[in-house]
Amino acid sequence: SPPAAVSQVTVRDALNQALDEELERDERVFLLGEEVAQYDGAYKISRGLWKKYGDKRIIDTPISEMGFAGIAVGAAMVWLRPVCEFMTFNFSMQAIDQVINSAAKSCYMSAGSISVPIVFRGPNGAAAGVAAQHSQCFAAWYGHCPGLKVVSPWSSEDAKGLLKASIRDDNPVVMLESELLYGVPFEMSEQAQSKDFVIPIGKAKIERQGTHVTLVAHSRPVGHCMEAAAVLAKEGVECEVINLRTIRPMDIETVEASVAKTNHLVTVEGGWPQFGVGAEICARIMEGPAFNYLDAPAVRVTGADVPMPYAKILEDNSLPQVKDIVFAVKKALNI
């Protein structure tokens, strides 16, 4: 049989495809947020959807996160399936009461009689030159809270499959995208472009097989890990790269199996070090069966422990770069 068709699709188009397919499939799905309708989305993720689905399904909101997130949570409680876009996750702070106290806790506090099938999505973490109030990673914040599921895609396939799974899920899902990945094209298989393609929430993906060290990352740093792995391969070091995809529930089994094979662990994230995603992975490995396989302490590569500077050179030095990952791997391997 001929090889399956593979095409290049940007993360932006993959998200647009996922929204379009789910809006079409289920009339309870609707999108709301600032500039999502007439302007086609601040990042053009919702391009063409307002023209196709109209005012009832694609809703421009006032600049009031607390207000529109509250409307969305209420709608989800009466069994609509809202997709609530934050123009950046930093602005979800305006609505964190809705996300945590209303969405995340309602199912438990109602003994399962209220479910909240809602997706909160938008760009998370640093972009380029947008300073501290637009550059924070909220993976650890939202990953901390029971009642939420938290996904963090890297590739176009991740973006499409995870968004579709999130919309179909009967629980609140926080989807943390990267603004800097929106325009990046990735290969997408024919299967991934079908209307029934979903990626299960809570399952990591091994992006590269290796034998010497396990690299675990989510979102944009997965790409940095792939680049670092290519550099290190020239020096005879084979890295296994794991794309977490989901922050909560965390697929620690995939990491454990990899560490049992490579005996070394390096975690990479754009967020801050203290109480971060890497800290959680290291703790879980420490507490579990994989600890006995480690030949050296696990190493974390993170963003700098400072609010994001505005100046480009400072920003570059505040985020993990390929050279930082290479350095961390050599430290872990003692080479």
Side-chain angles (χ1 to χ4, degrees):
S1 63
V6 173
S7 38
Q8 295 271 329
V9 179
T10 64
V11 171
R12 174 181 288 109
D13 289 342
L15 290 165
N16 181 273
Q17 214 176 81
L19 284 167
D20 189 10
E21 289 170 9
E22 294 306 299
L23 284 155
E24 191 172 57
R25 191 183 82 93
D26 186 342
E27 62 189 18
R28 296 169 301 174
V29 176
F30 69 99
L31 172 69
L32 80 171
E34 293 145 354
E35 299 191 342
V36 298
Q38 294 189 35
Y39 188 69
D40 273 344
Y43 304 97
K44 303 294 176 251
I45 303 298
S46 53
R47 185 187 285 139
L49 299 180
W50 176 64
K51 275 202 177 74
K52 185 170 176 182
Y53 295 101
D55 291 328
K56 283 260 186 347
R57 309 280 305 280
I58 313 292
I59 302 168
D60 276 332
T61 64
I63 302 174
S64 172
E65 280 75 15
M66 185 187 285
F68 70 73
I71 288 169
V73 173
M77 285 176 170
V78 294
W79 219 235
L80 292 173
R81 303 188 90 88
V83 178
C84 176
E85 177 179 310
F86 294 121
M87 203 178 282
T88 145
F89 257 93
N90 298 265
F91 303 159
S92 75
M93 295 294 91
Q94 297 286 338
I96 199 160
D97 184 57
Q98 309 288 5
V99 180
I100 306 299
N101 284 324
S102 302
K105 297 174 184 175
S106 288
C107 185
Y108 175 80
M109 292 180 75
S110 66
S113 66
I114 300 174
S115 30
V116 188
I118 187 169
V119 181
F120 299 101
R121 52 154 294 272
N124 169 70
V130 289
Q133 290 181 353
H134 298 74
S135 297
Q136 185 176 340
C137 175
F138 290 93
W141 280 51
Y142 286 121
H144 181 60
C145 302
L148 287 179
K149 295 178 180 179
V150 182
V151 298
S152 182
W154 168 56
S155 67
S156 300
E157 203 156 297
D158 293 350
K160 183 179 178 190
L162 288 170
L163 181 50
K164 286 170 74 81
S166 301
I167 292 170
R168 294 180 190 192
D169 201 283
D170 288 338
N171 298 285
V173 182
V174 170
M175 179 154 171
L176 304 170
E177 300 157 13
S178 165
E179 185 186 330
L180 293 175
L181 289 173
Y182 284 154
V184 178
F186 287 88
E187 286 192 351
M188 253 177 115
S189 64
E190 202 167 7
Q191 177 207 1
Q193 294 190 62
S194 81
K195 287 189 175 177
D196 43 19
F197 176 73
V198 290
I199 287 171
I201 294 172
K203 195 80 195 82
K205 182 187 178 195
I206 297 171
E207 296 286 352
R208 181 189 171 113
Q209 300 278 348
T211 49
H212 295 133
V213 60
T214 300
L215 293 176
V216 189
H218 65 95
S219 189
R220 191 162 169 258
V222 176
H224 294 1
C225 288
M226 295 294 277
E227 287 178 46
V231 171
L232 285 155
K234 293 188 177 124
E235 300 180 37
V237 175
E238 290 300 331
C239 302
E240 181 140 299
V241 179
I242 298 176
N243 171 9
L244 271 183
R245 284 181 164 174
T246 306
I247 306 300
R248 180 184 190 101
M250 188 178 277
D251 180 5
I252 210 68
E253 296 76 18
T254 295
V255 182
E256 285 174 338
S258 179
V259 168
K261 180 169 78 169
T262 67
N263 312 114
H264 297 90
L265 173 65
V266 174
T267 68
V268 187
E269 67 192 300
W272 294 316
Q274 192 155 318
F275 315 113
V277 175
E280 176 65 20
I281 294 166
C282 292
R284 296 265 198 108
I285 293 299
M286 181 89 187
E287 290 164 353
F291 175 70
N292 297 312
Y293 290 92
L294 278 178
D295 287 346
V299 181
R300 290 180 293 161
V301 180
T302 69
D305 198 19
V306 295
M308 183 59 69
Y310 170 69
K312 185 172 184 352
I313 186 145
L314 293 177
E315 181 176 61
D316 289 346
N317 281 287
S318 299
L319 289 168
Q321 307 293 330
V322 173
K323 62 176 175 19
D324 303 316
I325 301 168
V326 171
F327 180 82
V329 166
K330 290 182 171 178
K331 180 177 165 185
L333 293 172
N334 199 21
I335 53 177

